[in-house]
C-alpha cells in the first residue's frame, strides 16, 4: 500500500464508544461502514483508532479496482461478551455530493465533459487549442455561477451563512487555480502575452477595488478622500494605467501645484510599453522600447521631479520595479502572487514561461518574509508556476474537499496531450483513476448517479467493471427508477445486470401480489422458471376468482409466451376464453382439446378445462365431432383413473357431481354426433 505524504488527522465517529468497544470497518462502494464489535479492550490491550478513509485527501490509489468487501460477521456486544444494542455508522468520503447548492456544478459540468469527449479530434493546431481554451472557460463559468448561487443562498437563509461562506472560499480557490492552469498549460501562453494573461488573472481574482472606487468617486472631493491614493496605487499595481491616470487627473484639477508633476507622470504611464496579443512586435523590439522607457523613468526619479509629492514618487518607484517600493504596498496586494505579477510587469515584462518558477519562489519568499508558512493554496500555485502538473493535481486532491476539480482538470489536460506518459502502478492512468473516483462518489447520491454512468463510459480500462459493480448497488425503490437503470444496462449490453434487475423487480411485484407486473419483469429477464411460477399463480387466481387479472398483458404476450410451457398454456387458455366470448365455438373447442392432448396444461387444471367444455357440449349445434368427443372421454378417464384410492375417497361431492355431469354431457353429445353424422352419410 502506498503511504500518505502526511499523517492524516483522526476522524471522530459521533455516538461511537471506543472505550467500551472496538470499532471495525469495511469498505463500501462510496463509503465506509463502521460498527462496534464484540472485541473490546481486555487486559489493557489497545483499541485501534479509526483513520479516515482514502478520499480526496489521498490522491494516490491504494489498490487496484476490485469488488468492495461487504460488512459481514460483525456482532456488537459489550467488552464482557454480553449482548447489547449495536449501531452501524456510515462514513462518506465525498460529502460535497449532498450539498444542494453544488448541484449546478455537477450537472452543468457533466454536459461540458461529454461535449469534450465527443469533440472532433481532427481539429489540430490553433483550432484545437482554441477549442480546449473555450472548454476551460466554460468550466470556470460554471464554478463562478455556482459561487453566485452560494451568495444568494447565504443572503436568503442566514443560518446557512457559515457553510456557504466556506463553500464560496473553496470555489473561489478552485477558479483561481483553474484559471492559472488554463493560462500556463491549456493556452500555453508565450512570452509577452503570458504577462497580459497573468495581469487579467490577478485583476479577476486577487483584489477587488470596485467598492473603493465607487466610494472615492461618489465623494464631493475625490482627491481628498482617505482612500484616493490607495485606489490609485492598486490600479498601478495591477497595470490598469488608464484608470490610474483618470484618477490622477482629479488630483491635478484640485491641486494646481501638482499639475507639472502630474503631466510628467501621466506621460510616463501613457508611454509605458506593454506586450501585444496580436504579435505586431517582436520580443526584442518590446525589450528595447521598455529599456528606453525605464531609463526615462529613472532619470526623472533621480532629478527629484516627484520629490515634493511622496505619493507620485512612490508610483514612479513602482514603475521602475523597485521591490522595496512595491512591498510597501503589501496590504493592498494581499497575496504573494499579486506581488509576483506586479514585479514582472515593471521589471521583466517579457518573462518566458520556464522562468516563472524562479520569480515565483523569490516573490513568495520576499512577500512572506518568514512571517508565515505557505498555505496549501500557495503550494498548489507554486507547483503550477513550476510547471509540475502532476504535483498540482496531487496537492489539489489533498487540499480540496471533493473529486470534481481534479477529475475534470486532469481530463482537460489529458485532452491537451500533457499527461500521456503518466501511468499508475496498477495499469490505469491518472485521468481514468480520478474520473473513476469522482463517478463513484456520484453513484452514492440518489439522483446524481445517472451522471456517473457517462463518466464510467469514458474510462476505457476499468469503467465497465466499475459501472457493473455500482449499478448492482442502486436501490430500486420504484419501477420508474428500475426502468432507467434497465435502459442503461440494455444500451451497454450488460446482460447479467439486466437479468438481475428484472428478477429483483419481478420478486418485489410478486410479493405485493401484482401478478401482471411480475410476469412482465420475468419475461423481460427471460427467466423461464419464474415465468412458470407466475403463470401458476395466474391460473390459481383464476380458479379462485373465476376471471383473469391483467387481461391486457395476457392478451398481448405474443412470441413471449414461448418462454415456458406454462406461459404458453396461459396465453392459449386466455385465447380460448376470447374465442368463446366471440361465439366462435368450433375454434374454441378445437383449441381446448389441443390444450389437453398436447399435455402443456398442468394436471391439476384438467378438471377446469373439462368443465369449460360443458357449455360447448350443451350447445344447440354440435360443436365436438365424434373423434373429438372420444378424445375428451379419454382425458376424463385418464384424470379419474390417475387418482389413487385415497384421493378418490377424499374427492368431495362437488367433484363427483362434475365428473358425472361431464360423462352425461359427453354421452349425449356422442349420441347427437352419431345421429348427425349418420344422417349426413345416408343422405
Amino acid at each position: 500500500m502506498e503511504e500518505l505524504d502526511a499523517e492524516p488527522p483522526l476522524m471522530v465517529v459521533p455516538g461511537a464508544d471506543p472505550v467500551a468497544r472496538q470499532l471495525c470497518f469495511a469498505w463500501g462502494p462510496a463509503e465506509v461502514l463502521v460498527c462496534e464489535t464484540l472485541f473490546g479492550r481486555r487486559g489493557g490491550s489497545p483499541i485501534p483508532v479509526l483513520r479516515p478513509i482514502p478520499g480526496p485527501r489521498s490522491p494516490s490509489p491504494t489498490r487496484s479496482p476490485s469488488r468492495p468487501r461487504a460488512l459481514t460477521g460483525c456482532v456488537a456486544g459489550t467488552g464482557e461478551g454480553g449482548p447489547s444494542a449495536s449501531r452501524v455508522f456510515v462514513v462518506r468520503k465525498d460529502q460535497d455530493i449532498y450539498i444542494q447548492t453544488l448541484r449546478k456544478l455537477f450537472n452543468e459540468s457533466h454536459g461540458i465533459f461529454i461535449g469534450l469527449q465527443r469533440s472532433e479530434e481532427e481539429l489540430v493546431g490553433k483550432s484545437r487549442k482554441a477549442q480546449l481554451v473555450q472548454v476551460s472557460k466554460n468550466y470556470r463559468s460554471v464554478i463562478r455561477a455556482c459561487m453566485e448561487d452560494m451568495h444568494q443562498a447565504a443572503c436568503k437563509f442566514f443560518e446557512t451563512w457559515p457553510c456557504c461562506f466556506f463553500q464560496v472560499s473553496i470555489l473561489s480557490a478552485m477558479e483561481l487555480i483553474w484559471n492559472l492552469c488554463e493560462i500556463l498549460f491549456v493556452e500555453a501562453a508565450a512570452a509577452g502575452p503570458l504577462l497580459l494573461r497573468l495581469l487579467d488573472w490577478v485583476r479577476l481574482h486577487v483584489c477587488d477595488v470596485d467598492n473603493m472606487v465607487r466610494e472615492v468617486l461618489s465623494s464631493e472631493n475625490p482627491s481628498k478622500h482617505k482612500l484616493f491614493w490607495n485606489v490609485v496605487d492598486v490600479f498601478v499595481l495591477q497595470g490598469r494605467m488608464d484608470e490610474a491616470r483618470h484618477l490622477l487627473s482629479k488630483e491635478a484639477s484640485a491641486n494646481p501645484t501638482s499639475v507639472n508633476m502630474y503631466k510628467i507622470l501621466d506621460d510616463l504611464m501613457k508611454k509605458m510599453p506593454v506586450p501585444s496579443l496580436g504579435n505586431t512586435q517582436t520580443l526584442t523590439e518590446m525589450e528595447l522600447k521598455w529599456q528606453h522607457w525605464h531609463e526615462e523613468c529613472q532619470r526623472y526619479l533621480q532629478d527629484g521631479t516627484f520629490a515634493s509629492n511622496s505619493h507620485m514618487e512612490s508610483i514612479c518607484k513602482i514603475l521602475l520595479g523597485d521591490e522595496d517600493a512595491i512591498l510597501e504596498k503589501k496590504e493592498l496586494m494581499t497575496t504573494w502572487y499579486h506581488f509576483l505579477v506586479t514585479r514582472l510587469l515593471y521589471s521583466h515584462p517579457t518573462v518566458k514561461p520556464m522562468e516563472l518558477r524562479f520569480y515565483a519562489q523569490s516573490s513568495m519568499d520576499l512577500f512572506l518574509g518568514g512571517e508565515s508558512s505557505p498555505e496549501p493554496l500557495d503550494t498548489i500555485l507554486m507547483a503550477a508556476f513550476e510547471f509540475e502538473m502532476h504535483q498540482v493535481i496531487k496537492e489539489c486532491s489533498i487540499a480540496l474537499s471533493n473529486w470534481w476539480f481534479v477529475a475534470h482538470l486532469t481530463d482537460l489536460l489529458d485532452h491537451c496531450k500533457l499527461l500521456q506518459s503518466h501511468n499508475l502502478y496498477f495499469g490505469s492512468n491518472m485521468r481514468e483513476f480520478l474520473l473513476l473516483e469522482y463517478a463513484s462518489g456520484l453513484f452514492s447520491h440518489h439522483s446524481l448517479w445517472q451522471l456517473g454512468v457517462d463518466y464510467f463510459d469514458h474510462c476505457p480500462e476499468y469503467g465497465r467493471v466499475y459501472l457493473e459493480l455500482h449499478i448492482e448497488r442502486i436501490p430500486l425503490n420504484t419501477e420508474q427508477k428500475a426502468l432507467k437503470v434497465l435502459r442503461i444496462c440494455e444500451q451497454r449490453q450488460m446482460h447479467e445486470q439486466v437479468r438481475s434487475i428484472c428478477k429483483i423487480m419481478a420478486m418485489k411485484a410478486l410479493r405485493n401480489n401484482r401478478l401482471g407486473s411480475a410476469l412482465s419483469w420475468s419475461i423481460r429477464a427471460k427467466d423461464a422458471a419464474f415465468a412458470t411460477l407466475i403463470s401458476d399463480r395466474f391460473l390459481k387466481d383464476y380458479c379462485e376468482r373465476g376471471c383473469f387479472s391483467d387481461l391486457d398483458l395476457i392478451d398481448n404476450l405474443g412470441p413471449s409466451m414461448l418462454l415456458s410451457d406454462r406461459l404458453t398454456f396461459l396465453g392459449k387458455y386466455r385465447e380460448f376464453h376470447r374465442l368463446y366470448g366471440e361465439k366462435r365455438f368450433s375454434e374454441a373447442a378445437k383449441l381446448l382439446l389441443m390444450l389437453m392432448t398436447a399435455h402443456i396444461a398442468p394436471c391439476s387444471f384438467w378438471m377446469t378445462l373439462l368443465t369449460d367444455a360443458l357449455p360447448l357440449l350443451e350447445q344447440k349445434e354440435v360443436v365436438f365431432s365424434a373423434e373429438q368427443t372420444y378424445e375428451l372421454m379419454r382425458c376424463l378417464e385418464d384424470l379419474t383413473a390417475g387418482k389413487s384410492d385415497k384421493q378418490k375417497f377424499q374427492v368431495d361431492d362437488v367433484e363427483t357431481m362434475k365428473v358425472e355431469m361431464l360423462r352425461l354431457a359427453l354421452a349425449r353429445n356422442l349420441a347427437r354426433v352419431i345421429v348427425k353424422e349418420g344422417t349426413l352419410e345416408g343422405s
Side-chain angles (χ1 to χ4, degrees):
M1 181 179 292
E2 190 169 305
E3 294 183 358
L4 299 175
D5 295 307
E7 184 70 13
L10 298 181
M11 177 178 289
V12 178
V13 180
D17 185 6
V19 176
R21 304 187 185 109
Q22 189 178 40
L23 295 179
C24 79
F25 63 92
W27 297 98
E31 61 268 322
V32 162
L33 298 180
V34 183
C35 71
E36 300 169 345
T37 69
L38 176 66
F39 307 102
R41 178 161 54 188
R42 291 189 179 184
S45 60
I47 292 179
V49 180
L50 180 65
R51 298 288 182 180
I53 62 175
R57 301 185 177 276
S58 54
S60 300
T62 55
R63 59 185 184 279
S64 59
S66 60
R67 184 182 295 271
R69 293 177 292 167
L71 180 63
T72 56
C74 293
V75 182
T78 63
E80 288 72 27
S84 68
S86 61
R87 287 177 291 182
V88 175
F89 306 92
V90 179
V91 183
R92 292 194 176 101
K93 70 176 181 179
D94 203 349
Q95 194 64 28
D96 287 359
I97 295 293
Y98 299 88
I99 298 177
Q100 183 65 27
T101 45
L102 289 178
R103 291 290 295 274
K104 176 181 287 188
L105 181 69
F106 304 130
N107 284 314
E108 295 193 13
S109 61
H110 165 263
I112 300 171
F113 172 83
I114 295 301
L116 178 58
Q117 314 310 309
R118 296 173 180 171
S119 63
E120 298 183 11
E121 292 296 336
E122 56 266 21
L123 290 175
V124 294
K126 292 183 178 179
S127 298
R128 180 62 174 169
K129 179 184 284 190
Q131 181 189 45
L132 294 171
V133 170
Q134 186 57 50
V135 169
S136 180
K137 290 179 178 178
N138 291 343
Y139 276 125
R140 287 199 292 116
S141 67
V142 172
I143 298 175
R144 187 158 287 273
C146 200
M147 288 170 60
E148 293 175 0
D149 289 348
M150 285 283 187
H151 277 297
Q152 293 177 3
C155 296
K156 189 175 181 180
F157 305 104
F158 184 75
E159 63 276 6
T160 64
W161 169 249
C163 178
C164 288
F165 178 78
F166 173 74
Q167 288 298 330
V168 166
S169 65
I170 294 293
L171 291 171
S172 179
M174 287 164 57
E175 190 190 2
L176 175 72
I177 300 165
W178 191 296
N179 197 355
L180 182 60
C181 292
E182 177 186 306
I183 295 168
L184 300 179
F185 306 142
V186 182
E187 187 176 4
L194 173 61
L195 180 63
L196 297 180
R197 295 290 186 236
L198 292 176
L199 281 171
D200 291 337
W201 175 63
V202 165
R203 293 165 187 169
L204 180 62
H205 298 286
V206 176
C207 186
D208 183 10
V209 296
D210 292 339
N211 292 331
M212 282 198 298
V213 172
R214 280 193 293 268
E215 185 179 344
V216 170
L217 293 180
S218 62
S219 63
E220 295 181 2
N221 192 349
S223 63
K224 300 299 181 183
H225 195 281
K226 62 180 180 179
L227 297 177
F228 175 80
W229 288 106
N230 283 349
V231 174
V232 174
D233 288 339
V234 170
F235 282 150
V236 173
L237 291 169
Q238 293 186 0
R240 298 162 67 174
M241 293 305 183
D242 292 338
E243 290 138 301
R245 289 169 58 207
H246 175 69
L247 278 181
L248 283 173
S249 66
K250 297 185 179 299
E251 164 66 13
S253 300
N255 191 357
T257 59
S258 63
V259 171
N260 187 48
M261 284 186 293
Y262 159 72
K263 288 182 178 180
I264 295 173
L265 185 60
D266 180 75
D267 187 58
L268 290 175
M269 296 169 71
K270 183 179 180 180
K271 292 192 302 184
M272 177 183 174
V274 292
S276 172
L277 287 176
N279 294 324
T280 56
Q281 60 182 352
T282 64
L283 288 180
T284 304
E285 292 173 341
M286 169 63 195
E287 288 174 351
L288 286 173
K289 288 180 181 180
W290 186 84
Q291 187 63 37
H292 289 312
W293 172 81
H294 191 269
E295 290 172 356
E296 187 177 358
C297 293
Q298 184 72 40
R299 187 169 60 252
Y300 281 119
L301 185 64
Q302 290 176 350
D303 290 345
T305 304
F306 308 108
S308 61
N309 190 314
S310 61
H311 295 294
M312 291 191 182
E313 185 178 37
S314 174
I315 291 173
C316 186
K317 289 181 180 180
I318 292 173
L319 296 180
L320 283 167
D322 188 319
E323 292 180 356
D324 293 332
I326 298 173
L327 283 173
E328 286 179 3
K329 310 299 179 183
K330 187 174 180 178
E331 293 183 358
L332 297 177
M333 291 183 290
T334 68
T335 63
W336 65 268
Y337 36 94
H338 187 182
F339 170 60
L340 164 66
V341 177
T342 302
R343 182 185 174 197
L344 291 173
L345 175 64
Y346 295 114
S347 63
H348 196 4
T350 57
V351 62
K352 295 178 177 60
M354 297 313 295
E355 296 173 342
L356 282 176
R357 65 179 66 199
F358 308 111
Y359 288 99
Q361 187 62 58
S362 61
S363 296
M364 185 169 70
D365 294 340
L366 286 170
F367 193 86
L368 297 180
E371 298 175 3
S372 59
S373 57
E375 297 288 336
L377 179 59
D378 300 327
T379 306
I380 294 169
L381 296 178
M382 182 59 69
F385 283 124
E386 293 175 346
F387 283 82
E388 295 288 347
M389 283 174 286
H390 303 121
Q391 190 65 23
V392 170
I393 294 168
K394 178 180 179 181
E395 295 295 337
C396 288
S397 299
I398 296 172
L400 298 178
S401 57
N402 60 67
W403 288 108
W404 179 91
F405 182 87
V406 289
H408 290 85
L409 178 61
T410 304
D411 175 66
L412 179 60
L413 295 177
D414 187 75
H415 278 83
C416 295
K417 311 297 183 185
L418 298 174
L419 297 173
Q420 305 304 326
S421 62
H422 194 76
N423 289 328
L424 303 180
Y425 68 86
F426 60 79
S428 181
N429 57 39
M430 180 180 287
R431 169 193 174 273
E432 178 161 329
F433 171 73
L434 294 173
L435 287 176
L436 291 173
E437 288 299 316
Y438 173 63
S440 297
L442 291 175
F443 259 85
S444 66
H445 193 275
H446 65 89
S447 62
L448 292 177
W449 63 269
Q450 297 174 77
L451 306 181
V453 173
D454 291 326
Y455 288 96
F456 283 142
D457 282 344
H458 291 94
C459 295
E461 187 112 12
Y462 294 111
R464 172 97 178 185
V465 176
Y466 268 67
L467 180 59
E468 290 175 352
L469 294 177
H470 282 283
I471 210 84
E472 293 174 354
R473 292 168 171 80
I474 297 177
L476 305 176
N477 305 322
T478 63
E479 284 205 4
Q480 183 181 8
K481 189 171 183 179
L483 287 171
K484 284 183 182 179
V485 178
L486 192 65
R487 195 177 306 114
I488 288 169
C489 295
E490 288 175 341
Q491 289 171 350
R492 290 154 182 81
Q493 298 182 351
M494 298 165 58
H495 305 300
E496 208 47 53
Q497 284 70 27
V498 168
R499 284 192 289 271
S500 176
I501 292 167
C502 291
K503 287 180 181 180
I504 291 170
M505 296 308 296
M507 188 61 71
K508 282 186 177 182
L510 187 61
R511 281 199 296 263
N512 294 324
N513 205 33
R514 295 167 53 235
L515 299 181
S517 178
L519 182 58
S520 176
W521 283 110
S522 64
I523 291 173
R524 198 159 187 172
K526 295 181 173 56
D527 190 334
F530 205 75
T532 299
L533 174 65
I534 299 172
S535 299
D536 284 338
R537 287 285 298 271
F538 263 106
L539 296 174
K540 181 182 178 182
D541 191 56
Y542 170 79
C543 292
E544 293 174 353
R545 297 170 52 191
C547 62
F548 282 111
S549 59
D550 301 287
L551 287 178
D552 288 342
L553 174 64
I554 301 175
D555 287 341
N556 294 283
L557 283 174
S560 300
M561 71 171 64
L562 300 177
L563 183 62
S564 74
D565 289 346
R566 197 60 45 82
L567 187 58
T568 303
F569 169 73
L570 178 65
K572 291 297 183 181
Y573 185 56
R574 168 58 192 155
E575 185 180 347
F576 160 75
H577 278 272
R578 183 174 55 79
L579 292 172
Y580 185 86
E582 295 172 358
K583 297 185 178 181
R584 296 160 63 181
F585 299 129
S586 179
E587 295 176 51
K590 188 181 296 184
L591 180 58
L592 182 67
L593 189 62
M594 184 273 292
L595 290 177
M596 296 194 67
T597 56
H599 298 286
I600 62 174
C603 295
S604 59
F605 207 74
W606 277 26
M607 181 55 72
T608 303
L609 292 176
L610 289 168
T611 305
D612 286 335
L614 273 174
L616 295 173
L617 293 169
E618 298 295 334
Q619 293 292 323
K620 292 180 180 181
E621 295 291 332
V622 176
V623 177
F624 289 101
S625 65
E627 184 179 352
Q628 290 174 329
T629 305
Y630 284 130
E631 285 290 336
L632 288 174
M633 287 179 172
R634 183 178 62 80
C635 290
L636 179 61
E637 292 305 316
D638 288 346
L639 177 64
T640 55
K643 294 182 182 291
S644 63
D645 295 337
K646 184 177 181 181
Q647 287 174 323
K648 290 178 181 178
F649 179 77
Q650 291 177 343
V651 172
D652 55 15
D653 295 338
V654 175
E655 192 81 4
T656 303
M657 185 177 65
K658 283 183 181 180
V659 172
E660 294 302 323
M661 289 177 62
L662 280 168
R663 283 174 174 163
L664 178 61
L666 287 168
R668 291 173 57 187
N669 186 77
L670 184 60
R672 291 167 61 196
V673 170
I674 291 173
V675 171
K676 180 180 178 181
E677 290 179 352
T679 303
L680 290 173
E681 289 176 1
S683 62

